[in-house]
Amino acid sequence: MVETKITAEPGTAQIIIEREFDAPRDLVFRAYTEPELLVQWLGPRDLAMKIEEFDVRDGGKWRYISTDADGNEYGFHGVFHGTPTPDATVQTFEFEGVPGHVALERLTLEEQDGRTLVRTLSSFQSVEDRDGMVASGMERGVRDSDERLAELLKRLQND
Amino acid sequence: MVETKITAEPGTAQIIIEREFDAPRDLVFRAYTEPELLVQWLGPRDLAMKIEEFDVRDGGKWRYISTDADGNEYGFHGVFHGTPTPDATVQTFEFEGVPGHVALERLTLEEQDGRTLVRTLSSFQSVEDRDGMVASGMERGVRDSDERLAELLKRLQND
């Protein structure tokens, strides 16, 4: 079984998330950059996700809101830096619950034999920020998201 | 004599720049956020600086170009994240000579007895990116800039 690998070396300000998907990288890139696909997999299963803005271009902004069963809302936003491509998509990432704590994400998609290795490098402004993100329970969100993305990619290829 | 302190701990992806100025922090903040003041001190003395865009607000963009005596142009740009205040100004920073290498900067101004400690924390996406910035000769630019800023702050207070 394929599993998501999350690496957070002690004392560094980074998190590396890696997972291989059984799909060509152009399709994976579409799932990351087309809002109507993204909304189908990003976030934990028990939260509803709504995309407010998703402007995939150099300097373009994105924002989405996750809502839990009790109606609590969690907002996230960021800005794309450079033109997003399958080789590299760089963006900032902010959880609106802790304003002023900005992370930089670098997403790379690498294809081999029709499968795609997705790697996300998140760089924080301090080890404390990084540790705070790990402690927030992000792992559940990441694993849920990746399972849902694998299911979506399978559906899209079977269509 | 006041000197700029530049700290780049081995193996980390950060640079910390600290310097105290003999001026109240509101004036220092103005020098950082008003383009007509910024252009008077930012950059090495022997380069001409031109601000193309400087939109000081959450999500606002900035861009400037430095031109050397031979006419070579060096472009830099970024995006403000959160509303800039003297307490904290967070922005991304990109040198257009190496696209895709984005840094996050956090500027804080701390006043004590009419003097202001300026601290810039730059976080890079890798130790290599950080080391590349150090190797690029940024130190000369930083020290020149700080000297010019000290002179500008003196002029502004004598006016």
Side-chain angles (χ1 to χ4, degrees):
Chain A
M1 188 186 140
V2 184
E3 287 233 1
T4 300
K5 186 178 163 198
I6 300 175
T7 309
E9 293 287 347
T12 74
Q14 299 192 320
I15 300 173
I16 298 166
I17 300 171
E18 290 164 303
R19 163 119 180 194
E20 207 179 80
F21 292 92
D22 188 11
R25 79 169 187 164
D26 286 347
L27 191 63
V28 178
F29 185 65
R30 281 185 53 206
Y32 269 92
T33 52
E34 294 182 13
E36 59 278 18
L37 297 180
L38 189 69
V39 78
Q40 294 181 51
W41 68 266
L42 191 61
R45 286 187 198 275
D46 53 343
L47 269 72
M49 193 224 189
K50 193 177 145 202
I51 295 176
E52 300 277 307
E53 188 176 13
F54 207 73
D55 189 12
V56 185
R57 62 180 176 90
D58 186 14
K61 292 172 188 171
W62 61 264
R63 180 169 189 254
Y64 61 79
I65 297 168
S66 287
T67 308
D68 68 18
D70 297 327
N72 299 308
E73 295 192 336
Y74 306 92
F76 302 85
H77 68 261
V79 179
F80 291 104
H81 281 68
T83 302
T85 70
D87 284 333
T89 298
V90 177
Q91 62 187 51
T92 50
F93 176 96
E94 291 181 73
F95 169 42
E96 294 170 6
V98 285
H101 296 263
V102 187
L104 260 175
E105 289 190 355
R106 184 183 186 86
L107 171 77
T108 53
L109 309 181
E110 215 176 288
E111 186 174 311
Q112 200 164 25
D113 302 327
R115 296 174 67 85
T116 302
L117 174 66
V118 176
R119 190 170 184 273
T120 306
L121 167 65
S122 295
S123 305
F124 296 81
Q125 291 184 285
S126 67
V127 177
E128 294 69 32
D129 276 7
R130 196 282 308 268
D131 290 347
M133 175 59 78
V134 172
S136 75
M138 64 143 243
E139 182 171 346
R140 185 178 68 95
V142 168
R143 294 195 188 279
D144 261 20
S145 295
D146 278 355
E147 289 302 323
R148 297 173 72 197
L149 175 55
E151 293 162 14
L152 172 65
L153 292 168
K154 200 171 178 180
R155 285 201 303 279
L156 290 171
Q157 291 180 95
N158 288 341
D159 276 354
Chain B
M1 189 185 141
V2 184
E3 286 233 0
T4 300
K5 185 179 163 198
I6 301 175
T7 310
E9 292 287 344
T12 73
Q14 300 192 321
I15 300 173
I16 298 166
I17 300 171
E18 290 164 303
R19 163 117 181 197
E20 208 178 81
F21 292 92
D22 189 11
R25 78 168 187 165
D26 286 348
L27 191 63
V28 178
F29 185 65
R30 282 185 52 207
Y32 269 92
T33 52
E34 295 181 12
E36 60 277 20
L37 296 181
L38 189 69
V39 80
Q40 295 181 50
W41 67 268
L42 191 62
R45 285 186 199 275
D46 52 343
L47 269 72
M49 192 223 189
K50 193 178 146 201
I51 295 175
E52 299 277 308
E53 189 177 11
F54 207 73
D55 188 12
V56 185
R57 62 180 176 89
D58 186 13
K61 291 171 189 171
W62 60 264
R63 180 168 189 256
Y64 61 78
I65 297 168
S66 287
T67 307
D68 67 18
D70 298 326
N72 299 307
E73 295 193 337
Y74 306 92
F76 301 84
H77 68 262
V79 179
F80 291 104
H81 281 67
T83 302
T85 70
D87 284 334
T89 297
V90 177
Q91 63 188 49
T92 52
F93 176 96
E94 291 181 73
F95 168 43
E96 294 169 8
V98 286
H101 296 264
V102 187
L104 260 174
E105 289 190 355
R106 183 184 187 85
L107 170 77
T108 54
L109 309 182
E110 216 175 287
E111 184 173 312
Q112 200 164 24
D113 302 325
R115 296 175 67 85
T116 301
L117 173 66
V118 176
R119 190 172 183 270
T120 306
L121 167 65
S122 294
S123 305
F124 295 81
Q125 291 185 285
S126 67
V127 177
E128 293 70 30
D129 275 8
R130 196 282 307 266
D131 290 347
M133 176 60 78
V134 173
S136 75
M138 63 143 243
E139 181 171 344
R140 185 179 67 99
V142 168
R143 294 196 189 278
D144 260 20
S145 295
D146 279 355
E147 288 302 320
R148 296 172 72 196
L149 175 55
E151 293 162 13
L152 172 66
L153 292 168
K154 199 170 179 180
R155 283 201 303 278
L156 290 171
Q157 291 180 97
N158 288 342
D159 278 353

